[in-house]
Amino acid sequence: MKFFRLNKAAALIVVLTSSSAAVGALTSGTYETTGKGNNGPVVVQTTIENSQIKDIKVLKNSETPMIGETAIQQLPSKIIASQSLAIDGLAGATNTSNALKNAVREALDKAGGSEKDLKPVALNKQDAVPNKDESTDLVVVGAGGSGMAAAIQGKERGLNVILVEKLPMIGGTTALSSTAFNAGGSKVQMALEKPYTAEDYYKKLKGKGPDDASLKNLAELSGPTTDWLVNMGADLGRVINGSQHTPKDGGALGSMLVPVMKKKMDSLGIEPRVSTKAEELYVKDGRVAGVKVKNDNGTYTIYAKAVVLATGGFASNPKLVEKYTPMWAGYPSTASRGATGDGLEMAQKVGAGLAQMEKSGPQTVAYDTAHGAVSLTNVRYNGAILVNTDGKRFVNELALTPILGKAIKDQQGGHAYLIFDQASIDRAALMKKYKEAGYFVEAATVPELAAKLGISAANLEKTVERYRQGMYKGVDEEFGRKDSRFSRIDKAPYYGAKISPASQTTYGGIKIDLKGRALTPEGKVIPGLYASGEAAAQYGQGVSIGVILGKLAADSAADDIANVK
């Protein structure tokens, strides 16, 4: 496995300027150093003049769009303005923030000093602009995939929209998604040699959730929603296993989709209010008519004709995970840092009921980077098999996530190993990115790979050969897979990664009807309140739940607003 060493192995280029004489303890110049980010090295160029940091440029990084990249965009100016590294990192992008600050710290070291040798600057204190209460048509709380979908659709329906997000960046768990947008009946699917319909998708979901009516509704909306995203510019042109739309190059879904939706919001004039936390719903005459929010300047109220709660699930709230989905207690979370169940509490306070809180979709193949867990589901979708410590397969790798999660949890040590080959790496851009980040163990032969992973070499060799022969014949005799178009694990070098389940998708949330309207425990509509994505009680699949329900909630809100006198 490759590791990027921080500080000691940092690359350094010093370009001395005409004023390169030491002033204080720092030598003026331009220094190139490297910090270890969330997804790999962050290469930073720092310019020091007269014992002050004059410029910070990030030359190379592979951080997550809208998350790590937000830290890269915001922190340099803050460091320069304060001439200090004692600034807060960006919440939700801690690893990237630390990588950037550590790289600058290394530059100071190479300049012959440290942070204490920086010349202080006089700060101009300006009075903060006081908050004022506002009024609009629709407030959307949460700027993940679901909230962005609601904001876009609301604006396209002619509503004035305000979108608030408690984190300093947008994207939510959607930005972290590496897998697929699931649907049936999209134009892409209907153009396949064997069309995949909404009914096909419904059959795939049917019986897996508590309410077939909601599943059918989700399936019927999925195709048109996919087309809506494609028309927006989303690259969903490759279809895997009938229902799964992915980027054509095999890249990560979230890294593609969130920038596309942000660009659409920009064109519509929707400016997300980040670092703005919703704290309480405002109710007037029995109707939810706004939300009280808080930012750095204090609190204010946004009055509205309707509110959509798109605040995500609770996978990143250990207490709620232990309470409602104890099977995944103690495992890491691959959901957004903001997925803490805030919207559920706000909704309950105005009379909303919760439903199916015990249901969850774990991230089945999470890789521990030593500074956070990341999903390797893209690896699983691109031909890998799963083996246990004995080197044996134990489950169909393409089974539904709850089945996979439990199967892996039941193995010795509660973990397993993904095994694949160069053909899988060649197929998908994200696989290449993961390899560069050092997530994979690499070996020239299968027995050598087993030795490096610490699993039975003899059994792994037999397991791979049996799978390989099955793929040659077109029949996976052990678990019925039929995906030889991806990989037969016969192209060296070979790769492996130790993985475990993680808390990711929670299906429990605010009780809703088929229009996304929030309901009381008894099933009565709460006027003015809508829930979408993981904030709603809805079984389904990841990003699809978010975008489909976000668009639906905004449509319903627009219809209801038009009918309110």
Side-chain angles (χ1 to χ4, degrees):
M1 181 179 294
K2 294 182 180 180
F3 292 92
F4 296 100
R5 188 185 301 276
L6 180 62
N7 293 339
K8 295 299 182 182
L12 168 65
I13 297 176
V14 180
V15 181
L16 294 181
T17 66
S18 58
S19 60
S20 60
V23 178
L26 297 174
T27 300
S28 296
T30 298
Y31 303 84
E32 186 175 304
T33 52
T34 300
K36 184 176 181 181
N38 198 61
N39 299 331
V42 177
V43 181
V44 180
Q45 179 178 281
T46 304
T47 299
I48 299 172
E49 294 179 6
N50 299 323
S51 288
Q52 287 191 331
I53 299 172
K54 293 297 184 181
D55 189 35
I56 299 171
K57 293 180 180 177
V58 176
L59 304 180
K60 179 182 177 182
N61 80 92
S62 55
E63 302 303 90
T64 305
M66 303 296 172
I67 301 179
E69 286 189 355
T70 302
I72 286 170
Q73 292 165 5
Q74 294 184 8
L75 291 190
S77 61
K78 293 182 179 180
I79 293 172
I80 293 169
S82 64
Q83 290 298 307
S84 171
L85 296 176
I87 61 170
D88 292 334
L90 202 69
T94 302
N95 297 322
T96 307
S97 301
N98 289 339
L100 181 62
K101 290 195 286 185
N102 284 332
V104 174
R105 186 173 289 110
E106 177 73 3
L108 295 173
D109 178 65
K110 297 301 182 180
S114 65
E115 184 182 355
K116 66 181 176 59
D117 297 306
L118 286 169
K119 187 185 298 182
V121 295
L123 299 178
N124 293 322
K125 293 185 178 181
Q126 297 181 347
D127 293 332
V129 177
N131 290 323
K132 293 182 179 180
D133 293 346
E134 300 181 54
S135 295
T136 190
D137 294 325
L138 177 67
V139 176
V140 180
V141 182
S146 191
M148 288 190 289
I152 291 169
Q153 185 64 8
K155 191 72 172 181
E156 290 186 329
R157 288 291 305 272
L159 302 178
N160 292 317
V161 178
I162 292 178
L163 174 62
V164 299
E165 166 60 51
K166 70 177 181 179
L167 294 180
M169 76 287 288
I170 66 171
T173 299
T174 298
L176 302 173
S177 173
S178 64
T179 53
F181 191 88
N182 289 269
S186 71
K187 290 181 180 178
V188 174
Q189 291 166 307
M190 297 309 289
L192 296 174
E193 183 176 346
K194 184 180 179 181
Y196 189 90
T197 68
E199 183 65 22
D200 291 326
Y201 185 42
Y202 170 56
K203 289 178 180 177
K204 184 173 183 176
L205 295 173
K206 188 177 181 180
K208 304 301 181 182
D211 181 3
D212 276 358
S214 73
L215 297 179
K216 190 168 185 64
N217 190 48
L218 194 74
E220 290 176 347
L221 293 170
S222 66
T225 302
T226 305
D227 297 339
W228 180 69
L229 290 172
V230 170
N231 290 338
M232 200 181 293
D235 174 11
L236 297 172
R238 185 173 75 157
V239 177
I240 300 173
N241 299 317
S243 67
Q244 298 162 346
H245 295 75
T246 71
K248 291 179 182 178
D249 69 352
L253 174 68
S255 297
M256 175 278 299
L257 188 57
V258 172
V260 167
M261 299 182 81
K262 176 60 167 63
K263 183 178 180 180
K264 183 64 175 180
M265 289 198 302
D266 290 343
S267 72
L268 294 172
I270 302 169
E271 182 62 37
R273 300 185 183 184
V274 295
S275 299
T276 302
K277 187 178 187 297
E279 295 197 317
E280 183 180 348
L281 293 170
Y282 170 71
V283 178
K284 181 179 179 181
D285 299 329
R287 181 181 183 86
V288 172
V291 61
K292 182 179 180 180
V293 301
K294 182 179 181 180
N295 61 16
D296 290 341
N297 294 336
T299 61
Y300 65 102
T301 300
I302 305 173
Y303 300 105
K305 298 173 183 176
V307 176
V308 174
L309 291 178
T311 50
F314 57 86
S316 294
N317 185 326
K319 290 184 178 179
L320 293 185
V321 169
E322 185 174 5
K323 179 178 180 179
Y324 293 115
T325 57
M327 177 180 286
W328 311 118
Y331 280 99
S333 170
T334 52
S336 165
R337 182 175 180 272
T340 53
D342 300 354
L344 309 188
E345 182 179 356
M346 284 191 290
Q348 282 185 293
K349 286 182 178 179
V350 299
L354 302 183
Q356 57 190 56
M357 294 297 290
E358 75 288 354
K359 296 189 177 296
S360 65
Q363 170 48 250
T364 54
V365 287
Y367 172 74
D368 186 357
T369 68
H371 49 269
V374 297
S375 165
L376 293 190
T377 297
N378 186 275
V379 180
R380 178 168 64 88
Y381 280 174
N382 279 287
I385 59 173
L386 279 166
V387 302
N388 55 24
T389 302
D390 291 332
K392 298 178 180 179
R393 290 175 73 198
F394 54 90
V395 69
N396 183 335
E397 294 82 3
L398 300 180
L400 292 174
T401 53
I403 296 173
L404 272 174
K406 185 178 186 307
I408 295 170
K409 187 175 184 292
D410 289 344
Q411 300 307 304
Q412 182 179 348
H415 63 261
Y417 301 85
L418 285 164
I419 306 295
F420 49 104
D421 68 353
Q422 187 62 40
S424 290
I425 299 285
D426 294 339
R427 181 174 173 81
L430 187 58
M431 297 281 281
K432 297 182 181 72
K433 182 177 178 180
Y434 285 161
K435 179 183 176 181
E436 292 172 0
Y439 295 169
F440 304 149
V441 173
E442 180 179 345
T445 67
V446 172
E448 181 185 345
L449 178 64
K452 288 185 175 182
L453 293 173
I455 61 180
S456 170
N459 285 343
L460 182 61
E461 195 167 22
K462 291 178 183 178
T463 295
V464 169
E465 181 59 26
R466 184 175 183 184
Y467 175 75
R468 185 181 291 162
Q469 292 303 318
M471 290 298 98
Y472 289 150
K473 298 175 184 177
V475 178
D476 173 17
E477 295 179 354
E478 285 188 279
F479 296 102
R481 280 177 55 171
K482 300 178 181 179
D483 58 352
S484 59
R485 65 188 183 281
F486 293 148
S487 170
R488 293 178 295 208
I489 314 185
D490 59 0
K491 183 179 180 181
Y494 300 95
Y495 301 90
K498 180 180 178 180
I499 55 85
S500 72
S503 181
Q504 178 167 285
T505 304
T506 50
Y507 300 123
I510 302 163
K511 193 173 182 179
I512 59 170
D513 64 10
L514 297 183
K515 293 185 177 181
R517 299 179 297 187
L519 304 175
T520 66
E522 298 76 28
K524 182 180 179 181
V525 171
I526 299 174
L529 183 61
Y530 306 79
S532 66
E534 289 185 72
Q538 173 69 60
Y539 180 79
Q541 292 172 304
V543 176
S544 303
I545 298 175
V547 178
I548 293 169
L549 291 190
K551 185 174 182 293
L552 171 66
D555 268 329
S556 298
D559 290 341
D560 292 344
I561 288 172
N563 293 325
V564 173
K565 296 181 180 180

